[in-house]
């Protein structure tokens, strides 16, 4: 009888094998896949913005966040099922390095290409959304600007901690989606952790590559000056600490932890 899911140790081994494949594939493939991941996460982010632009008025803050997380999870579903290279999920590639299957410099090389590709994809998507004029409907523009401004108001330490929590959950989602052997299982594996991180208010670096530039572009389009909402604050005040937090959350609490539990002692140099 075919397995419906892999147990944790087999899942950890599958992630190691995937890390070997990803870090040895042609760079051109990595570039295109990283652009796609930027687009896919942006699809989820823009959907969450549109759906929840006024939902808190009718549902309350808690249910509005639940709704946002539910629709945003579509982004990771596209990444996992259709295939794409997402920087946050690629924190799990370090499991292959811990296992001695790939050199660490291949991790750094992959991360550099993927985060740059994710950023370019997200920025391009934000630019396309600006020129779609869909932000003129309802309260979308005001809400998008408020999301961006609130993210730029976070202190470095707060953004860092929220980044840790976020990618802890994202990498658990990828871990469970790897364990799942069918599409419904992968969808559910993506949904619950991603809904949790969005509803909780944690910070995802790639999502913020869409959320904050969109707010900046709309504020400029509407001729508004929003305190703290600047490209400098986006890059150094939010993206930097959130990215560091995402790395710590994914590497320490998922990749290293499950390598230590299931694979330590079988390291191959």
């Amino acid at each position: 009888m075919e397995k419906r899911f892999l147990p944790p140790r087999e899942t950890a081994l599958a992630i190691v094998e995937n890390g070997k494949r990803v870090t040895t594939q042609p760079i051109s493939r990595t570039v295109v896949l990283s652009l796609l991941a930027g687009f896919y996460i942006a699809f989820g982010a823009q959907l969450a913005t549109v759906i929840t632009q006024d939902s808190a008025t009718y549902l309350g803050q808690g249910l509005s966040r639940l709704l946002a997380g539910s629709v945003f999870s579509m982004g990771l579903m596209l990444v996992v099922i259709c295939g794409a290279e997402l920087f946050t999920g690629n924190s799990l590639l370090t499991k292959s390095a811990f296992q001695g299957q790939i050199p660490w410099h291949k991790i750094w090389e992959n991360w550099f290409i993927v985060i740059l590709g994710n950023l370019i994809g997200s920025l391009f998507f934000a630019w396309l959304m600006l020129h779609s004029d869909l932000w003129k409907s309802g309260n979308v523009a005001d809400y998008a600007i408020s999301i961006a401004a609130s993210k730029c108001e976070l202190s470095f330490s707060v953004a860092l901690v929220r980044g840790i929590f976020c990618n802890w959950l994202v990498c658990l989602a990828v871990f469970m989606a790897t364990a799942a052997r069918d599409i419904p299982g992968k969808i559910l594996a993506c949904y619950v952790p991603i809904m949790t991180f969005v509803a909780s208010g944690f910070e995802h670096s790639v999502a913020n590559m869409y959320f904050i530039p969109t707010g900046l572009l709309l504020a400029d389009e509407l001729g508004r000056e929003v305190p703290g909402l600047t490209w400098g604050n986006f890059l150094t005040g939010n993206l930097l600490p959130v990215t560091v937090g995402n790395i710590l959350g994914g590497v320490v609490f998922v990749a290293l932890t499950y390598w230590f539990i299931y694979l330590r002692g079988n390291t191959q140099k």
Side-chain angles (χ1 to χ4, degrees):
M1 182 177 178
E2 186 179 357
K3 291 182 178 179
R4 299 296 298 275
F5 66 93
L6 299 178
R9 187 177 187 279
E10 290 184 32
T11 304
L13 288 170
I15 290 172
V16 169
E17 290 302 310
N18 184 60
K20 291 163 61 178
R21 176 189 61 79
V22 169
T23 54
T24 56
Q25 69 185 3
I27 291 178
S28 59
R29 182 180 300 173
T30 301
V31 169
V32 175
L33 289 171
S34 64
L35 290 171
L36 290 177
F39 299 152
Y40 296 163
I41 296 301
F43 269 123
Q46 69 84 24
L47 180 61
T49 303
V50 172
I51 294 295
T52 62
Q53 59 176 304
D54 57 359
S55 60
T57 304
Y58 305 101
L59 301 176
Q61 190 69 24
L63 287 178
S64 180
R65 288 188 172 195
L66 175 63
L67 182 59
S70 296
V71 299
F72 180 87
S73 65
M74 183 269 294
L76 187 64
M77 295 174 194
L78 291 175
V79 169
V80 168
I81 297 171
C82 299
E85 295 292 335
L86 181 64
F87 170 71
T88 47
N90 279 16
S91 296
L92 288 177
L93 298 182
T94 56
K95 195 186 297 289
S96 300
F98 289 132
Q99 190 67 2
Q101 296 293 308
I102 57 174
W104 280 97
H105 74 85
K106 298 297 289 185
I107 299 290
W108 317 139
E109 178 184 281
N110 176 269
W111 282 2
F112 176 78
I113 295 170
V114 170
I115 197 170
L116 187 59
N118 290 170
L119 177 60
I120 293 171
S122 299
L123 291 174
F124 182 61
F125 195 98
W127 180 82
L128 287 176
M129 286 301 298
L130 175 68
H131 291 278
S132 73
D133 281 354
L134 291 172
W135 52 269
K136 293 180 179 179
S137 173
N139 194 43
V140 173
D142 290 337
Y143 189 51
I145 292 171
S146 70
I147 291 174
S150 65
K151 289 180 178 294
C152 285
E153 289 173 355
L154 299 176
S155 68
F156 192 97
S157 60
V158 167
L160 176 73
V161 172
R162 292 187 186 183
I164 291 173
F165 283 134
C166 170
N167 209 33
W168 191 342
L169 286 166
V170 171
C171 286
L172 286 175
V174 174
F175 191 97
M176 292 193 299
T178 303
R181 298 288 89 186
D182 56 24
I183 297 297
K186 292 181 183 296
I187 288 174
L188 184 60
C190 291
Y191 171 74
V192 177
I194 302 306
M195 177 276 294
T196 301
F197 106 65
V198 175
S200 300
F202 301 148
E203 294 287 310
H204 188 270
S205 56
V206 181
N208 288 358
M209 292 174 187
Y210 170 79
F211 279 126
I212 300 178
T214 295
L216 284 160
L217 291 173
L218 288 173
D220 182 66
E221 181 74 13
L222 296 171
R224 298 183 189 176
E225 290 188 11
V226 182
L229 183 57
T230 65
W231 288 99
N233 276 348
F234 160 53
L235 294 171
T236 60
N238 183 276
L239 190 58
L240 176 60
V242 170
T243 299
V244 173
N246 286 169
I247 292 172
L248 292 173
V251 173
V252 176
F253 293 102
V254 184
L256 178 60
T257 299
Y258 284 101
W259 170 82
F260 182 86
I261 294 170
Y262 293 111
L263 304 179
R264 184 175 66 102
N266 296 319
T267 305
Q268 298 177 21
K269 298 296 184 183

